[in-house]
Amino acid sequence: MQIKIAAKEVERNSVNKMVQSWPRTFSARPWILVGIAGILLVGLYLFHLQAQIDSLITSQTHLERDVSKLNSLRRKQDPFQHRQAQFKSNDVPFERDLVVIYNRVPKTGSTSFVGVAYDLCKPNAFHVLHLNISANMHVLTLPSQARFVQNVTDWREMRPAFFHGHLAFVDFQKFGSHFQPVYINLVRQPLDRLVSYYYFLRHGDDFRPHLVRRKHGDNVSFDECVQQNLEDCNPDNMWLQIPFFCGHAPACWEKGNEWALEEAKKNLLEHYMVVGVTEQMEDFISLLELTLPSMFRGAGQHFALSNRSHLRKTSQKTNPLPETVARIQQSKIWKMENEFYEFALVQFGHALRKAQTPGASGAQQIFFYEKIRPK
Protein backbone atom coordinates (compact mmCIF):
# COMPACT_ATOMS: atom_id res chain seq x y z
CA MET A 1 0.00 0.00 0.00
CA GLN A 2 2.74 2.38 0.93
CA ILE A 3 4.59 1.39 -2.26
CA LYS A 4 1.54 2.43 -4.36
CA ILE A 5 1.26 5.74 -2.59
CA ALA A 6 4.91 6.39 -3.11
CA ALA A 7 4.58 5.51 -6.81
CA LYS A 8 1.70 7.97 -7.24
CA GLU A 9 3.63 10.68 -5.47
CA VAL A 10 6.56 10.13 -7.78
CA GLU A 11 4.27 10.28 -10.82
CA ARG A 12 2.62 13.56 -9.61
CA ASN A 13 5.97 15.16 -9.03
CA SER A 14 7.06 14.13 -12.50
CA VAL A 15 3.97 15.69 -14.06
CA ASN A 16 4.48 18.91 -12.13
CA LYS A 17 8.06 19.15 -13.21
CA MET A 18 6.98 18.59 -16.82
CA VAL A 19 4.37 21.36 -16.64
CA GLN A 20 6.78 23.72 -15.01
CA SER A 21 9.27 23.02 -17.78
CA TRP A 22 6.81 24.18 -20.56
CA PRO A 23 7.44 27.73 -21.98
CA ARG A 24 5.00 30.35 -20.68
CA THR A 25 4.32 32.30 -23.94
CA PHE A 26 0.67 33.34 -23.37
CA SER A 27 -1.61 34.26 -20.48
CA ALA A 28 -5.22 35.45 -21.28
CA ARG A 29 -6.32 36.70 -17.85
CA PRO A 30 -4.18 39.91 -17.60
CA TRP A 31 -5.23 41.17 -21.09
CA ILE A 32 -8.89 40.66 -20.30
CA LEU A 33 -8.51 42.75 -17.17
CA VAL A 34 -6.69 45.52 -19.08
CA GLY A 35 -9.46 45.60 -21.73
CA ILE A 36 -12.20 45.85 -19.10
CA ALA A 37 -10.33 48.65 -17.34
CA GLY A 38 -9.92 50.53 -20.66
CA ILE A 39 -13.61 50.25 -21.45
CA LEU A 40 -14.48 51.57 -18.00
CA LEU A 41 -12.09 54.51 -18.41
CA VAL A 42 -13.52 55.42 -21.84
CA GLY A 43 -17.03 55.20 -20.44
CA LEU A 44 -16.15 57.47 -17.54
CA TYR A 45 -14.54 59.99 -19.90
CA LEU A 46 -17.57 60.02 -22.23
CA PHE A 47 -19.88 60.47 -19.25
CA HIS A 48 -17.76 63.39 -18.01
CA LEU A 49 -17.69 64.94 -21.49
CA GLN A 50 -21.46 64.69 -21.86
CA ALA A 51 -21.89 66.33 -18.47
CA GLN A 52 -19.65 69.20 -19.58
CA ILE A 53 -21.63 69.65 -22.81
CA ASP A 54 -24.93 69.69 -20.90
CA SER A 55 -23.49 72.30 -18.55
CA LEU A 56 -22.39 74.53 -21.47
CA ILE A 57 -25.79 74.27 -23.13
CA THR A 58 -27.50 75.25 -19.90
CA SER A 59 -25.13 78.20 -19.44
CA GLN A 60 -25.72 79.34 -23.03
CA THR A 61 -29.48 79.20 -22.54
CA HIS A 62 -29.24 81.28 -19.38
CA LEU A 63 -26.91 83.78 -21.08
CA GLU A 64 -29.20 84.21 -24.10
CA ARG A 65 -32.14 84.74 -21.78
CA ASP A 66 -30.24 87.39 -19.80
CA VAL A 67 -29.06 89.16 -22.97
CA SER A 68 -32.60 89.17 -24.32
CA LYS A 69 -33.87 90.72 -21.10
CA LEU A 70 -31.12 93.35 -21.20
CA ASN A 71 -31.82 94.27 -24.84
CA SER A 72 -35.52 94.47 -24.13
CA LEU A 73 -34.83 96.84 -21.24
CA ARG A 74 -32.57 99.00 -23.44
CA ARG A 75 -35.18 99.17 -26.19
CA LYS A 76 -37.78 100.32 -23.71
CA GLN A 77 -35.45 103.01 -22.39
CA ASP A 78 -34.24 104.34 -25.77
CA PRO A 79 -35.47 102.40 -28.84
CA PHE A 80 -33.96 104.77 -31.41
CA GLN A 81 -30.51 104.67 -29.82
CA HIS A 82 -30.61 100.85 -29.76
CA ARG A 83 -31.52 100.63 -33.45
CA GLN A 84 -28.96 103.26 -34.37
CA ALA A 85 -26.26 101.27 -32.57
CA GLN A 86 -27.19 98.21 -34.62
CA PHE A 87 -27.04 100.28 -37.81
CA LYS A 88 -23.63 101.76 -36.99
CA SER A 89 -22.23 98.33 -36.29
CA ASN A 90 -21.97 97.81 -40.04
CA ASP A 91 -19.01 100.22 -39.96
CA VAL A 92 -19.79 101.94 -43.28
CA PRO A 93 -17.84 105.18 -43.92
CA PHE A 94 -19.96 108.31 -43.79
CA GLU A 95 -19.38 109.40 -47.38
CA ARG A 96 -20.29 105.93 -48.73
CA ASP A 97 -23.48 105.80 -46.69
CA LEU A 98 -24.67 109.28 -47.71
CA VAL A 99 -28.27 109.84 -48.83
CA VAL A 100 -29.33 113.28 -50.07
CA ILE A 101 -32.99 114.11 -50.71
CA TYR A 102 -33.78 117.11 -52.89
CA ASN A 103 -37.56 117.59 -52.69
CA ARG A 104 -37.50 120.11 -55.51
CA VAL A 105 -40.09 122.89 -55.72
CA PRO A 106 -41.44 123.36 -59.29
CA LYS A 107 -40.04 126.27 -61.31
CA THR A 108 -37.11 127.05 -59.02
CA GLY A 109 -34.34 126.02 -61.43
CA SER A 110 -34.37 122.44 -60.19
CA THR A 111 -33.84 120.89 -63.63
CA SER A 112 -30.57 122.78 -64.07
CA PHE A 113 -29.31 121.69 -60.66
CA VAL A 114 -30.34 118.06 -61.11
CA GLY A 115 -28.55 118.04 -64.47
CA VAL A 116 -25.29 118.69 -62.62
CA ALA A 117 -25.99 115.73 -60.31
CA TYR A 118 -26.58 113.43 -63.29
CA ASP A 119 -23.32 114.56 -64.90
CA LEU A 120 -21.31 113.97 -61.72
CA CYS A 121 -22.85 110.71 -60.52
CA LYS A 122 -20.52 108.47 -62.51
CA PRO A 123 -17.15 110.19 -61.85
CA ASN A 124 -18.05 110.72 -58.17
CA ALA A 125 -19.54 107.22 -57.78
CA PHE A 126 -23.05 107.84 -56.48
CA HIS A 127 -26.57 107.04 -57.68
CA VAL A 128 -29.23 109.53 -58.80
CA LEU A 129 -32.86 108.45 -58.45
CA HIS A 130 -35.91 110.40 -59.62
CA LEU A 131 -39.03 109.96 -57.51
CA ASN A 132 -41.97 110.01 -59.93
CA ILE A 133 -45.32 110.24 -58.13
CA SER A 134 -48.49 109.23 -59.95
CA ALA A 135 -50.68 112.09 -61.26
CA ASN A 136 -47.85 114.55 -60.50
CA MET A 137 -49.03 114.83 -56.93
CA HIS A 138 -46.83 116.57 -54.36
CA VAL A 139 -48.00 114.55 -51.35
CA LEU A 140 -48.07 110.84 -50.56
CA THR A 141 -50.66 108.88 -48.67
CA LEU A 142 -49.65 107.72 -45.20
CA PRO A 143 -48.91 104.12 -46.35
CA SER A 144 -46.91 105.47 -49.31
CA GLN A 145 -44.90 107.72 -46.99
CA ALA A 146 -44.09 104.68 -44.83
CA ARG A 147 -42.97 102.69 -47.90
CA PHE A 148 -40.85 105.60 -49.11
CA VAL A 149 -39.14 105.87 -45.73
CA GLN A 150 -38.52 102.12 -45.69
CA ASN A 151 -37.12 102.16 -49.25
CA VAL A 152 -34.67 104.95 -48.54
CA THR A 153 -33.66 103.44 -45.18
CA ASP A 154 -33.13 99.86 -46.35
CA TRP A 155 -31.92 100.31 -49.94
CA ARG A 156 -28.26 100.12 -48.96
CA GLU A 157 -27.15 98.92 -52.42
CA MET A 158 -28.00 102.34 -53.90
CA ARG A 159 -25.86 104.33 -51.49
CA PRO A 160 -24.45 106.88 -51.78
CA ALA A 161 -27.68 108.21 -53.29
CA PHE A 162 -29.20 111.46 -54.51
CA PHE A 163 -33.02 111.31 -54.54
CA HIS A 164 -34.99 114.09 -56.24
CA GLY A 165 -38.64 114.71 -56.97
CA HIS A 166 -41.54 117.12 -56.49
CA LEU A 167 -42.42 115.89 -53.02
CA ALA A 168 -43.38 117.67 -49.82
CA PHE A 169 -41.08 117.16 -46.85
CA VAL A 170 -41.28 113.72 -45.18
CA ASP A 171 -40.14 113.36 -41.57
CA PHE A 172 -38.33 110.01 -41.34
CA GLN A 173 -38.34 109.97 -37.55
CA LYS A 174 -42.13 110.10 -37.57
CA PHE A 175 -42.10 106.58 -39.02
CA GLY A 176 -39.53 105.21 -36.55
CA SER A 177 -36.61 105.19 -38.96
CA HIS A 178 -33.17 105.23 -37.37
CA PHE A 179 -31.76 106.73 -40.58
CA GLN A 180 -31.92 110.46 -41.28
CA PRO A 181 -31.18 111.59 -44.86
CA VAL A 182 -29.60 114.92 -45.74
CA TYR A 183 -32.29 117.29 -47.04
CA ILE A 184 -31.42 120.14 -49.42
CA ASN A 185 -33.59 122.48 -51.50
CA LEU A 186 -33.88 125.67 -53.53
CA VAL A 187 -36.44 128.47 -53.18
CA ARG A 188 -37.25 131.35 -55.49
CA GLN A 189 -38.84 134.78 -55.19
CA PRO A 190 -42.55 133.83 -55.10
CA LEU A 191 -43.82 136.23 -57.76
CA ASP A 192 -40.99 135.33 -60.14
CA ARG A 193 -41.83 131.66 -59.66
CA LEU A 194 -45.54 132.29 -60.39
CA VAL A 195 -44.83 134.36 -63.52
CA SER A 196 -42.39 131.73 -64.80
CA TYR A 197 -44.96 128.96 -64.27
CA TYR A 198 -47.69 131.06 -65.93
CA TYR A 199 -45.73 131.42 -69.18
CA PHE A 200 -44.34 127.89 -68.96
CA LEU A 201 -47.86 126.46 -69.24
CA ARG A 202 -48.47 128.51 -72.37
CA HIS A 203 -45.16 128.47 -74.25
CA GLY A 204 -43.09 125.69 -72.68
CA ASP A 205 -39.32 125.96 -72.38
CA ASP A 206 -36.12 125.24 -74.26
CA PHE A 207 -35.64 121.90 -72.49
CA ARG A 208 -38.46 120.23 -74.44
CA PRO A 209 -39.48 122.90 -76.97
CA HIS A 210 -41.83 120.71 -79.00
CA LEU A 211 -43.93 119.51 -76.07
CA VAL A 212 -47.41 121.08 -76.14
CA ARG A 213 -48.47 122.36 -72.71
CA ARG A 214 -52.04 122.47 -71.45
CA LYS A 215 -52.40 126.25 -71.94
CA HIS A 216 -50.82 126.23 -75.39
CA GLY A 217 -52.30 128.92 -77.64
CA ASP A 218 -53.38 131.17 -74.77
CA ASN A 219 -51.68 134.50 -75.48
CA VAL A 220 -53.10 136.45 -72.53
CA SER A 221 -50.20 138.15 -70.76
CA PHE A 222 -49.71 137.93 -67.03
CA ASP A 223 -50.55 141.65 -66.69
CA GLU A 224 -53.79 141.14 -68.61
CA CYS A 225 -54.59 138.11 -66.48
CA VAL A 226 -54.22 140.13 -63.27
CA GLN A 227 -56.32 142.96 -64.66
CA GLN A 228 -59.09 140.51 -65.57
CA ASN A 229 -58.85 138.64 -62.21
CA LEU A 230 -58.37 135.30 -63.95
CA GLU A 231 -57.60 132.14 -62.00
CA ASP A 232 -54.18 131.33 -63.48
CA CYS A 233 -52.62 134.47 -62.01
CA ASN A 234 -54.46 134.34 -58.68
CA PRO A 235 -51.95 135.10 -55.88
CA ASP A 236 -53.24 132.00 -54.07
CA ASN A 237 -51.32 129.97 -56.64
CA MET A 238 -48.10 131.12 -55.01
CA TRP A 239 -48.89 128.93 -51.99
CA LEU A 240 -46.38 126.19 -52.79
CA GLN A 241 -42.95 126.74 -51.25
CA ILE A 242 -44.39 126.93 -47.72
CA PRO A 243 -46.30 123.61 -47.98
CA PHE A 244 -43.30 121.90 -49.61
CA PHE A 245 -41.26 122.65 -46.50
CA CYS A 246 -44.15 122.26 -44.07
CA GLY A 247 -44.87 118.66 -45.08
CA HIS A 248 -47.88 116.39 -45.36
CA ALA A 249 -50.11 117.72 -42.58
CA PRO A 250 -53.48 118.97 -43.91
CA ALA A 251 -52.84 122.42 -42.45
CA CYS A 252 -49.70 122.74 -44.59
CA TRP A 253 -51.84 122.93 -47.71
CA GLU A 254 -54.44 125.33 -46.33
CA LYS A 255 -53.66 128.57 -48.12
CA GLY A 256 -52.73 131.31 -45.69
CA ASN A 257 -52.36 129.03 -42.67
CA GLU A 258 -50.06 130.74 -40.16
CA TRP A 259 -49.05 127.47 -38.48
CA ALA A 260 -47.88 126.14 -41.86
CA LEU A 261 -45.53 129.10 -42.27
CA GLU A 262 -43.98 128.57 -38.85
CA GLU A 263 -43.70 124.82 -39.40
CA ALA A 264 -41.96 125.42 -42.73
CA LYS A 265 -39.42 127.68 -41.03
CA LYS A 266 -38.92 125.14 -38.25
CA ASN A 267 -38.33 122.29 -40.69
CA LEU A 268 -35.90 124.39 -42.73
CA LEU A 269 -33.80 125.02 -39.62
CA GLU A 270 -33.98 121.54 -38.12
CA HIS A 271 -34.04 119.16 -41.09
CA TYR A 272 -32.33 120.86 -44.04
CA MET A 273 -28.57 120.98 -44.31
CA VAL A 274 -28.75 123.90 -46.73
CA VAL A 275 -31.49 125.70 -48.69
CA GLY A 276 -30.26 127.88 -51.53
CA VAL A 277 -32.02 130.46 -53.67
CA THR A 278 -32.50 130.25 -57.41
CA GLU A 279 -31.00 133.69 -57.91
CA GLN A 280 -27.71 132.44 -56.39
CA MET A 281 -27.58 128.88 -57.68
CA GLU A 282 -23.87 129.02 -58.42
CA ASP A 283 -23.17 129.92 -54.79
CA PHE A 284 -25.52 127.15 -53.68
CA ILE A 285 -23.59 124.57 -55.71
CA SER A 286 -20.26 125.87 -54.43
CA LEU A 287 -21.45 125.53 -50.84
CA LEU A 288 -22.55 121.96 -51.49
CA GLU A 289 -19.13 121.16 -52.96
CA LEU A 290 -17.43 122.46 -49.83
CA THR A 291 -19.81 120.65 -47.48
CA LEU A 292 -20.29 117.29 -49.25
CA PRO A 293 -17.23 116.94 -51.50
CA SER A 294 -17.57 113.18 -51.97
CA MET A 295 -20.80 113.75 -53.96
CA PHE A 296 -20.41 117.29 -55.35
CA ARG A 297 -16.69 117.33 -56.15
CA GLY A 298 -16.18 119.47 -59.25
CA ALA A 299 -19.79 120.70 -59.28
CA GLY A 300 -18.95 124.39 -59.19
CA GLN A 301 -16.60 124.31 -62.16
CA HIS A 302 -18.89 121.99 -64.10
CA PHE A 303 -21.87 124.29 -63.56
CA ALA A 304 -19.90 127.35 -64.62
CA LEU A 305 -18.37 125.85 -67.77
CA SER A 306 -21.17 123.57 -68.99
CA ASN A 307 -24.57 124.47 -70.39
CA ARG A 308 -26.31 123.37 -67.17
CA SER A 309 -26.70 126.91 -65.83
CA HIS A 310 -29.58 127.59 -68.23
CA LEU A 311 -30.83 124.09 -68.89
CA ARG A 312 -34.52 124.98 -68.68
CA LYS A 313 -35.50 128.53 -69.59
CA THR A 314 -39.16 129.47 -70.03
CA SER A 315 -39.94 130.71 -73.52
CA GLN A 316 -41.58 134.10 -74.22
CA LYS A 317 -41.66 135.21 -70.59
CA THR A 318 -42.47 138.87 -70.00
CA ASN A 319 -41.78 140.57 -66.69
CA PRO A 320 -44.92 142.05 -65.12
CA LEU A 321 -45.54 145.78 -64.99
CA PRO A 322 -44.88 147.67 -61.72
CA GLU A 323 -48.61 148.17 -61.12
CA THR A 324 -49.16 144.43 -61.53
CA VAL A 325 -46.40 143.70 -59.03
CA ALA A 326 -47.85 146.21 -56.55
CA ARG A 327 -51.28 144.61 -56.84
CA ILE A 328 -49.93 141.10 -56.28
CA GLN A 329 -47.92 142.23 -53.27
CA GLN A 330 -51.09 143.33 -51.50
CA SER A 331 -52.22 139.73 -51.12
CA LYS A 332 -51.77 137.79 -47.89
CA ILE A 333 -50.37 134.76 -49.71
CA TRP A 334 -47.60 136.77 -51.35
CA LYS A 335 -46.68 138.34 -48.00
CA MET A 336 -46.44 134.91 -46.33
CA GLU A 337 -44.56 133.26 -49.17
CA ASN A 338 -42.21 136.23 -49.40
CA GLU A 339 -41.63 136.11 -45.64
CA PHE A 340 -40.59 132.47 -45.97
CA TYR A 341 -38.36 133.28 -48.93
CA GLU A 342 -36.65 136.10 -47.03
CA PHE A 343 -36.20 133.78 -44.05
CA ALA A 344 -34.52 131.17 -46.25
CA LEU A 345 -32.40 133.86 -47.89
CA VAL A 346 -31.06 135.01 -44.52
CA GLN A 347 -30.11 131.46 -43.49
CA PHE A 348 -28.40 130.80 -46.82
CA GLY A 349 -26.56 134.10 -46.75
CA HIS A 350 -25.23 133.41 -43.27
CA ALA A 351 -23.97 129.92 -44.21
CA LEU A 352 -22.44 131.23 -47.43
CA ARG A 353 -20.56 134.09 -45.75
CA LYS A 354 -19.14 131.76 -43.11
CA ALA A 355 -18.01 129.28 -45.74
CA GLN A 356 -16.37 131.92 -47.90
CA THR A 357 -14.52 133.65 -45.05
CA PRO A 358 -10.99 132.24 -44.70
CA GLY A 359 -9.42 131.62 -41.32
CA ALA A 360 -11.27 131.19 -38.06
CA SER A 361 -14.81 130.84 -39.39
CA GLY A 362 -14.58 129.81 -43.00
CA ALA A 363 -13.98 126.89 -45.34
CA GLN A 364 -10.27 126.82 -44.42
CA GLN A 365 -11.07 126.55 -40.73
CA ILE A 366 -8.93 123.97 -38.93
CA PHE A 367 -9.96 121.88 -35.97
CA PHE A 368 -8.19 119.02 -34.25
CA TYR A 369 -8.51 116.76 -31.21
CA GLU A 370 -6.20 116.77 -28.19
CA LYS A 371 -5.97 115.66 -24.54
CA ILE A 372 -7.44 112.31 -25.47
CA ARG A 373 -7.78 109.98 -22.50
CA PRO A 374 -7.04 107.28 -21.59
CA LYS A 375 -3.77 107.11 -23.45
Side-chain angles (χ1 to χ4, degrees):
M1 187 65 179
Q2 292 179 351
I3 294 173
K4 289 182 179 180
I5 293 174
K8 289 182 179 180
E9 186 67 22
V10 171
E11 183 180 357
R12 187 163 49 249
N13 291 336
S14 299
V15 171
N16 288 338
K17 290 180 180 180
M18 186 180 300
V19 171
Q20 291 176 359
S21 65
W22 290 349
R24 299 185 178 183
T25 59
F26 176 78
S27 177
R29 181 177 297 177
W31 287 103
I32 293 174
L33 293 176
V34 170
I36 294 174
I39 292 173
L40 290 175
L41 289 174
V42 171
L44 290 173
Y45 175 76
L46 292 176
F47 178 82
H48 175 73
L49 184 61
Q50 184 62 45
Q52 293 291 326
I53 293 174
D54 292 341
S55 177
L56 288 175
I57 293 175
T58 302
S59 300
Q60 181 182 8
T61 303
H62 291 165
L63 180 61
E64 290 175 348
R65 183 184 60 193
D66 294 339
V67 171
S68 178
K69 289 181 179 179
L70 180 60
N71 288 337
S72 178
L73 180 61
R74 288 178 176 175
R75 283 192 294 268
K76 290 179 181 179
Q77 292 175 346
D78 192 350
F80 289 102
Q81 182 179 1
H82 174 76
R83 294 179 65 183
Q84 190 172 9
Q86 288 182 325
F87 177 77
K88 288 183 178 179
S89 65
N90 293 324
D91 197 23
V92 179
F94 168 78
E95 66 274 7
R96 306 318 301 166
D97 205 45
L98 179 64
V99 173
V100 174
I101 295 182
Y102 172 38
N103 62 318
R104 48 196 285 194
V105 181
K107 302 310 296 178
T108 58
S110 58
T111 301
S112 296
F113 173 57
V114 167
V116 174
Y118 275 107
D119 288 344
L120 295 179
C121 64
K122 189 172 183 179
N124 289 350
F126 66 93
H127 298 91
V128 180
L129 303 93
H130 177 221
L131 177 64
N132 193 336
I133 305 174
S134 58
N136 292 322
M137 297 182 66
H138 302 323
V139 294
L140 296 171
T141 64
L142 193 64
S144 295
Q145 291 179 63
R147 291 202 308 273
F148 174 68
V149 170
Q150 182 178 359
N151 289 158
V152 175
T153 301
D154 294 342
W155 204 357
R156 303 295 295 274
E157 294 81 7
M158 284 293 107
R159 297 182 190 175
F162 179 91
F163 289 85
H164 68 98
H166 295 311
L167 173 69
F169 169 73
V170 177
D171 186 357
F172 275 54
Q173 189 172 356
K174 177 181 177 180
F175 294 90
S177 174
H178 60 269
F179 182 75
Q180 292 297 321
V182 175
Y183 269 98
I184 63 172
N185 216 326
L186 281 164
V187 294
R188 185 177 182 179
Q189 291 180 347
L191 181 54
D192 287 351
R193 198 200 65 80
L194 178 61
V195 172
S196 178
Y197 187 64
Y198 178 88
Y199 285 107
F200 168 74
L201 293 179
R202 286 155 177 77
H203 307 296
D205 54 31
D206 55 0
F207 186 66
R208 288 187 288 181
H210 303 295
L211 181 63
V212 177
R213 305 293 173 178
R214 61 184 177 90
K215 290 289 183 175
H216 181 74
D218 183 357
N219 294 320
V220 176
S221 69
F222 186 82
D223 295 300
E224 293 171 339
C225 178
V226 172
Q227 292 172 4
Q228 299 173 28
N229 294 321
L230 301 179
E231 181 59 31
D232 285 354
C233 55
N234 190 322
D236 288 355
N237 294 330
M238 286 185 289
W239 188 259
L240 191 65
Q241 296 186 135
I242 288 175
F244 256 72
F245 282 81
C246 178
H248 282 68
C252 295
W253 298 87
E254 293 177 4
K255 296 175 180 179
N257 188 293
E258 296 289 345
W259 174 86
L261 172 59
E262 297 306 316
E263 186 71 6
K265 292 180 179 179
K266 175 175 174 289
N267 287 339
L268 185 149
L269 290 176
E270 295 182 357
H271 297 286
Y272 284 80
M273 185 193 75
V274 60
V275 175
V277 294
T278 305
E279 297 79 12
Q280 296 177 253
M281 187 179 295
E282 188 171 353
D283 291 331
F284 172 67
I285 293 175
S286 297
L287 185 57
L288 285 175
E289 185 174 2
L290 289 172
T291 309
L292 300 175
S294 63
M295 183 172 288
F296 295 101
R297 185 181 300 107
Q301 183 178 12
H302 180 79
F303 182 76
L305 299 179
S306 69
N307 60 352
R308 294 298 185 185
S309 57
H310 296 91
L311 185 60
R312 193 167 203 166
K313 187 176 182 180
T314 302
S315 303
Q316 300 184 31
K317 186 178 74 172
T318 304
N319 293 327
L321 297 171
E323 53 267 30
T324 301
V325 173
R327 184 172 176 178
I328 292 291
Q329 290 179 348
Q330 295 302 313
S331 69
K332 178 183 178 181
I333 300 301
W334 178 86
K335 292 178 181 179
M336 296 181 69
E337 280 281 345
N338 191 65
E339 180 182 341
F340 178 73
Y341 169 81
E342 295 289 345
F343 178 82
L345 182 60
V346 169
Q347 309 306 318
F348 176 66
H350 176 77
L352 188 63
R353 285 192 301 273
K354 289 292 185 180
Q356 292 177 341
T357 303
S361 60
Q364 304 302 320
Q365 186 175 10
I366 298 174
F367 63 89
F368 56 92
Y369 307 99
E370 62 180 2
K371 298 181 181 179
I372 301 173
R373 299 293 186 273
K375 292 184 177 180

